[in-house]
Amino acid sequence: MKALTVHRGTVAPLDRANVDTDQIIPKQFLKRVERTGFGQFLFYDWRFDENGAERPDFVLNQPQYRKASILVAGPNFGCGSSREHAPWALQDWGFQVVIAPSFADIFYNNCLKIGLLPIILPEATVNRILADAKGVSGLELAVNVKTRSVTFNDGTEASFPLDPYAQESLVGGLDEIGRSLRLEAEIVRFEGQEVTRINTRG
Amino acid sequence: MAPRTLYQKIWDEHCVTQIDDQRQLLYIDLHLIHEVTSPQAFDGLRLNHRTVRRPDRSFAVVDHNVPTGDRKTPIKDPVARRQIELLEENCHAFGIPLFNLHHPEQGIVHIVGPEQGLTQPGMTVVCGDSHTSTHGAFGTLAFGIGTSEVEHVLATQCLVQASSKTMEVRFTGPRPIGITPKDMIMALIGQIGIAGATGYVIEYTGDAVRDLTMDERMTLCNMSIEAGARAGMVSPDMTTVNYLRGRRFAPTGPDFDLTATRWLAYATDPGAVFDQTVVVDLATLSPMVTWGTNPGMVTSIAMKVPDPASAADPAQREAWQLALDYMGLTPGTPITDISIDRVFIGSCTNGRLEDLIRAARIVKGRKIAPTVRAMVVPGSGIVKREAELLGLDQVFLDAGFEWREPGCSMCLGMNEDILEPGERSASTSNRNFEGRQGRGGRTHLVSPEMAAAAALFGHFVDSRPLLHSDQEVTR
């Protein structure tokens, strides 16, 4: 996984609640067998009209947000399908951080597995970020994974929850499978004493 | 020992080791695999010189992008074909059993697992698909995972997991005639919202749940994810045990009874405490229909399309307005006045034999409206075969339905079964998100009975007066 310790970037405001993974990456693009190259399809039906032309009013088509690396959105971001293609598409597009008042469970986990940081902040703080990002001068934020904090330009800070295990993986860019494989002896011990439940090859 | 819930029993029993006070390494008993979310996981294994730890705890099936029409000719879409071939190659290379496109019992992963007897009470089951919650109907802890976690399970047969809070969803009162588990779960989602159970594992309780068949319990648990829940489950009982008896992967002989005793012990203990309890009253339920662009935007057949002016707050007002714009609906329109172009009966939510029987009880001896294209996509080869033995294929064909091959089909439209822009469907699937069934398509989620009734009339109607008895349907 890609390590993420500190990040500073421009914020793109996507002021919608319940943004589902079908919007983040529509199903017609799930047939690729690689992990890469999904950014071009991010929010496809919102970015492009039926004829494939850009919709100028969609946030990511506006010049000031095209290079944004922090996405801020409404509550329950990433609901729906378990497709990891959604965080892949966000990361491949150039986002490193997604901020929302709440996330869907599977999406939140999927982000952490690839080093895309999902930040949960109180609704009032998210509303302030949305408003500032929509303003004429836009908004830059600084994010620190070690201190679990977001810093505004005026120096005010907001802290976000992140469990220590995920934090360690993120900061170290650790391979979580490798971390679990170090517990091989424990897995072998467990398998030795469990009731055998199923043999799919039997 | 203090009384425990079903969830707590499975959680405790599958702890390989504690990681910290929140997390444990959770052992996975059964890993189900399909073609769309696995190729990158197998790639990752190879890249890191790792292998599949327990191919004997893994099982694969093609379902998401398979064609449901003629299967004698090669798949036209080269990208879909590649994904299907790659799953075959990966399963072959790592020794994982697979039902490929031409296996007679191929079907949707969440239908195949239970009907093969792979899903058993007390197990942990994962799959790279959010509707893995379906398997919770058996008293298993079953949830969807992303591709990185698919790779993690392939390599370690474990997952690092934080424990969830528990929510009891208690259905009270007897289930009125013609009210299905689809209506029950949609009513719940309407009541608590699509994030109402985020962070929770749901257990469904109440006499009405006890009375459900396994096919029905699977519908209920299937849509737990649409309420945001990590998983949904039902405590195992004799209905569960009787379903599993004689299934291919279930224990046989005296082993079965011994195992069944162990299964029943997973049921939630009397007096066990849930973190939250939600009560849904069944007595007043009518058939449910979604009107918006998520499963929480739902009402009953007797109601009207809501007016954003009556929304609870500005955020909800805006969400409703966006949904109505997308759906092309006017506030105040009676649900029964909404015309439909397409009908889809199938999916891991409602593609099992009992679903098809119940839809056939509406359709038998009648014709679909000339303006409607309607399809039935059985959930698996077994469902299809059993339905054909009952003559259901002919009931549907006579009425003007298409009778197709098993797969996920129009639930997510990864194959050619999609809505055209602006087309409106009555669908027995689980998600009505924008573009879910095809770009610009408008999806209304309903039960199989309601979908069948809409096909006949070309608009939504209350299916209850149309029900034939079982005897009238099957030969």
Side-chain angles (χ1 to χ4, degrees):
Chain A
M1 180 169 66
K2 210 160 73 61
L4 183 66
T5 314
V6 290
H7 177 72
R8 185 179 180 84
T10 304
V11 180
L14 180 60
D15 194 359
R16 268 183 92 139
N18 303 315
V19 173
D20 60 78
T21 51
D22 277 80
Q23 307 318 315
I24 299 172
I25 180 97
K27 77 286 177 142
Q28 62 267 36
F29 307 116
L30 302 185
K31 293 172 194 164
R32 294 172 68 85
V33 296
E34 304 84 19
R35 267 176 200 261
T36 51
F38 288 97
Q40 57 188 312
F41 309 123
L42 179 70
F43 294 119
Y44 193 85
D45 291 353
W46 287 351
R47 272 170 56 217
F48 301 105
D49 67 16
E50 297 73 19
N51 306 315
E54 279 192 4
R55 298 178 196 267
D57 53 339
F58 184 66
V59 56
L60 298 186
N61 288 334
Q62 295 166 14
Q64 69 271 37
Y65 302 123
R66 279 184 190 265
K67 297 279 176 218
S69 57
I70 300 175
L71 184 69
V72 60
N76 196 31
F77 189 85
C79 60
S81 150
S82 66
R83 58 188 72 165
E84 197 166 302
H85 311 66
W88 291 340
L90 286 161
Q91 194 175 55
D92 192 52
W93 172 272
F95 287 114
Q96 300 207 40
V97 176
V98 184
I99 300 174
S102 57
F103 289 89
D105 191 31
I106 303 177
F107 178 85
Y108 184 87
N109 278 323
N110 285 347
C111 287
L112 288 174
K113 302 295 172 201
I114 64 164
L116 174 68
L117 177 65
I119 292 184
I120 300 169
L121 289 176
E123 194 138 11
T125 313
V126 171
N127 287 339
R128 175 188 166 188
I129 295 173
L130 280 168
D132 288 359
K134 285 189 218 168
V136 277
S137 46
L139 176 68
E140 275 199 5
L141 286 176
V143 172
N144 189 322
V145 180
K146 278 188 176 160
T147 57
R148 296 188 318 240
S149 62
V150 175
T151 310
F152 290 81
N153 275 334
D154 65 5
T156 52
E157 281 197 0
S159 63
F160 59 88
L162 186 65
D163 81 74
Y165 186 86
Q167 188 182 30
E168 209 179 310
S169 288
L170 214 52
V171 170
L174 302 181
D175 163 22
E176 290 203 0
I177 296 175
R179 288 182 86 176
S180 291
L181 283 173
R182 287 207 292 272
L183 300 167
E184 171 73 14
E186 302 283 347
I187 302 173
V188 169
R189 182 195 53 78
F190 182 91
E191 286 178 330
Q193 42 182 243
E194 63 154 356
V195 271
T196 302
R197 289 191 169 74
I198 198 86
N199 181 354
T200 57
R201 301 207 284 194
Chain B
M1 188 179 271
R4 289 183 301 166
T5 62
L6 165 63
Y7 170 75
Q8 285 159 343
K9 291 181 192 183
I10 299 177
W11 178 257
D12 293 349
E13 192 183 87
H14 289 77
C15 177
V16 173
T17 186
Q18 205 71 33
I19 304 269
D20 53 40
D21 51 345
Q22 275 281 305
R23 313 198 142 220
Q24 68 181 33
L25 195 64
L26 181 78
Y27 197 77
I28 304 302
D29 293 320
L30 176 65
H31 184 194
L32 299 167
I33 297 162
H34 65 85
E35 75 276 21
V36 175
T37 57
S38 65
Q40 296 87 350
F42 284 109
D43 255 11
L45 283 186
R46 288 198 181 88
L47 210 63
N48 293 290
H49 310 289
R50 290 173 178 146
T51 190
V52 176
R53 182 183 180 84
R54 298 298 299 265
D56 60 332
R57 297 297 182 90
S58 313
F59 193 90
V61 61
V62 292
D63 59 2
H64 274 60
N65 71 29
V66 301
T68 59
D70 181 15
R71 287 190 175 164
K72 292 188 189 76
T73 56
I75 300 173
K76 289 186 205 86
D77 179 350
V79 201
R81 193 170 67 223
R82 179 74 195 121
Q83 228 172 26
I84 288 169
E85 288 167 357
L86 206 52
L87 183 63
E88 295 197 50
E89 288 168 31
N90 285 327
C91 287
H92 181 76
F94 292 104
I96 296 171
L98 163 76
F99 282 0
N100 69 13
L101 187 59
H102 301 291
H103 192 285
E105 299 187 353
Q106 170 270 340
I108 305 171
V109 62
H110 308 309
I111 293 188
V112 169
E115 74 186 5
Q116 295 292 331
L118 286 164
T119 307
Q120 297 172 11
M123 279 186 169
T124 49
V125 179
V126 295
C127 174
D129 187 275
S130 58
H131 292 108
T132 307
S133 58
T134 312
H135 305 263
F138 290 81
T140 70
L141 174 60
F143 53 91
I145 55 178
T147 299
S148 292
E149 290 188 319
V150 169
E151 187 180 334
H152 198 126
V153 176
L154 288 172
T156 67
Q157 204 57 34
C158 297
L159 277 177
V160 177
Q161 282 285 302
S163 63
S164 300
K165 291 177 283 185
T166 54
M167 177 186 285
E168 177 190 21
V169 171
R170 193 189 308 144
F171 288 98
T172 59
R175 177 160 61 115
I177 290 167
I179 297 303
T180 70
K182 184 67 165 284
D183 301 308
M184 292 164 67
I185 188 66
M186 290 207 290
L188 170 71
I189 298 165
Q191 186 174 320
I192 68 173
I194 60 171
T198 301
Y200 288 88
V201 166
I202 296 175
E203 182 175 340
Y204 299 100
T205 68
D207 290 344
V209 174
R210 287 283 131 236
D211 290 344
L212 295 177
T213 65
M214 290 314 295
D215 277 12
E216 292 175 323
R217 291 179 190 183
M218 283 187 259
T219 300
L220 194 62
C221 290
N222 173 275
M223 284 184 71
S224 304
I225 180 73
E226 311 313 333
R230 184 137 198 85
M233 42 201 342
V234 174
S235 276
D237 57 15
M238 285 313 290
T239 303
T240 326
V241 169
N242 290 333
Y243 176 98
L244 285 165
R245 198 186 302 275
R247 303 263 161 193
R248 179 170 162 199
F249 288 97
T252 51
D255 256 10
F256 183 87
D257 293 320
L258 282 172
T259 311
T261 309
R262 185 170 63 75
W263 286 342
L264 293 171
Y266 285 105
T268 289
D269 297 327
V273 178
F274 294 89
D275 294 306
Q276 195 186 335
T277 294
V278 171
V279 175
V280 181
D281 180 18
L282 283 176
T284 56
L285 272 200
S286 300
M288 305 294 281
V289 183
T290 62
W291 54 265
T293 51
N294 73 49
M297 294 174 171
V298 65
T299 188
S300 88
I301 184 65
M303 304 298 279
K304 293 175 175 165
V305 174
D307 188 345
S310 66
D313 55 66
Q316 189 182 59
R317 188 175 312 134
E318 198 191 329
W320 284 13
Q321 191 57 56
L322 281 170
L324 292 182
D325 291 346
Y326 180 85
M327 294 296 287
L329 291 173
T330 312
T333 307
I335 298 295
T336 49
D337 282 0
I338 300 174
S339 298
I340 50 116
D341 310 297
R342 301 282 296 271
V343 169
F344 171 63
I345 297 176
S347 85
C348 58
T349 312
N350 280 130
R352 282 169 286 271
L353 184 64
E354 289 177 13
D355 297 309
L356 304 193
I357 291 175
R358 294 203 318 268
R361 288 174 66 188
I362 304 286
V363 167
K364 172 90 169 177
R366 299 178 170 128
K367 296 278 184 204
I368 64 171
T371 52
V372 170
R373 181 181 169 197
M375 53 169 71
V376 181
V377 180
S380 72
I382 291 183
V383 171
K384 183 165 188 261
R385 194 173 68 218
E386 289 180 348
E388 287 172 352
L389 283 172
L390 294 172
L392 301 187
D393 54 335
Q394 214 49 54
V395 170
F396 286 113
L397 287 166
D398 288 347
F401 278 82
E402 295 166 32
W403 179 254
R404 301 182 74 90
E405 299 295 330
C408 297
S409 181
M410 219 168 85
C411 174
L412 85 166
M414 273 194 75
N415 65 356
E416 64 278 17
D417 305 341
I418 56 170
L419 296 179
E420 295 302 318
E423 273 193 328
R424 191 181 293 286
S425 76
S427 178
T428 67
S429 53
N430 40 57
R431 286 190 180 132
N432 50 341
F433 297 148
E434 286 182 23
R436 170 80 177 178
Q437 295 189 298
R439 184 171 186 152
R442 294 158 171 169
T443 302
H444 296 268
L445 303 176
V446 288
S447 69
E449 289 90 324
M450 285 290 287
L456 302 177
F457 287 83
H459 59 84
F460 290 109
V461 294
D462 191 333
S463 57
R464 288 173 292 183
L466 300 167
L467 271 177
H468 293 291
S469 73
D470 279 332
Q471 291 74 15
E472 289 173 280
V473 175
T474 55
R475 61 179 179 224

